Amino acid sequence: MTLQEAYNFIESLKTEATKKYEIKVYEKFLHILSELKIREFSKDEIQSIETELESLDLKSNPENKKKFIKKALTKFEKYLKDTFSLTSKGYYINLYGGLGLSFGLLFGVAILSNLERSLGISLGLIGGMVVGSLIGRQKETQVKAAGKML
């Protein structure tokens, strides 16, 4: 399946969709496919992407189409991340925000527990989230400057 065929197929699914969540998933998939069409790839890389799109078997007819397309999108994003180091917008902010929450919780329980347990945990979570999001935003800026963001 070529990029254009996949784009046309997802576009047709989007026009049939009625739920807002489905439309968002289709729009994200369409955005990734359109960004890939714009990028310069070698013939081997294009062939590799098209083979991956073929392996996703998008034209199959599962019971839950929305869930199937969401899983296919996640698998395709992972493939692009692993093979070409391409990430979508918000990837690093979410990743580092989650890590910040985890470490903030630990920090709040271990160090700020001398305040009041719930206050220490709250401050730790907030601080961890802020620090994680800032680091994620900085990482996204670096990735965007390197041209590796979709």
Side-chain angles (χ1 to χ4, degrees):
M1 176 179 284
T2 65
L3 287 172
Q4 187 61 44
E5 288 173 351
Y7 187 88
N8 292 339
F9 179 71
I10 298 294
E11 184 72 38
S12 68
L13 289 177
K14 182 185 165 196
T15 57
E16 296 171 7
T18 56
K19 296 180 182 168
K20 195 173 185 179
Y21 176 75
E22 285 182 65
I23 293 171
K24 279 186 177 183
V25 171
Y26 295 142
E27 284 176 348
K28 187 171 183 180
F29 213 131
L30 289 171
H31 173 72
I32 289 173
L33 290 173
S34 64
E35 288 292 321
L36 289 175
K37 282 195 281 187
I38 294 169
R39 287 186 174 272
E40 294 293 323
F41 289 111
S42 70
K43 288 196 181 273
D44 291 336
E45 291 171 336
I46 290 173
Q47 184 65 35
S48 171
I49 291 170
E50 290 175 352
T51 303
E52 181 65 23
L53 284 171
E54 194 68 44
S55 74
L56 293 176
D57 198 23
L58 294 175
K59 292 190 176 182
S60 69
N61 197 10
E63 286 183 29
N64 191 345
K65 194 77 162 171
K66 175 182 69 172
K67 188 175 181 181
F68 177 76
I69 295 294
K70 178 67 176 163
K71 282 185 178 181
L73 174 62
T74 304
K75 186 177 176 185
F76 190 59
E77 284 179 323
K78 184 177 181 342
Y79 166 78
L80 291 174
K81 171 91 173 89
D82 294 343
T83 308
F84 302 107
S85 299
L86 297 173
T87 58
S88 56
K89 186 175 182 180
Y91 175 80
Y92 287 107
I93 292 175
N94 291 336
L95 177 69
Y96 285 101
L99 286 173
L101 278 174
S102 301
F103 286 114
L105 178 66
L106 292 173
F107 182 75
V109 169
I111 295 170
L112 298 176
S113 62
N114 62 354
L115 296 171
E116 183 181 326
R117 175 117 22 239
S118 61
L119 180 63
I121 292 172
S122 299
L123 291 175
L125 285 174
I126 292 168
M129 181 72 167
V130 168
V131 170
S133 295
L134 289 174
I135 293 172
R137 185 167 295 167
Q138 180 184 13
K139 180 71 173 170
E140 290 226 352
T141 305
Q142 291 172 352
V143 169
K144 193 170 190 174
K148 296 286 187 178
M149 186 175 289
L150 293 173

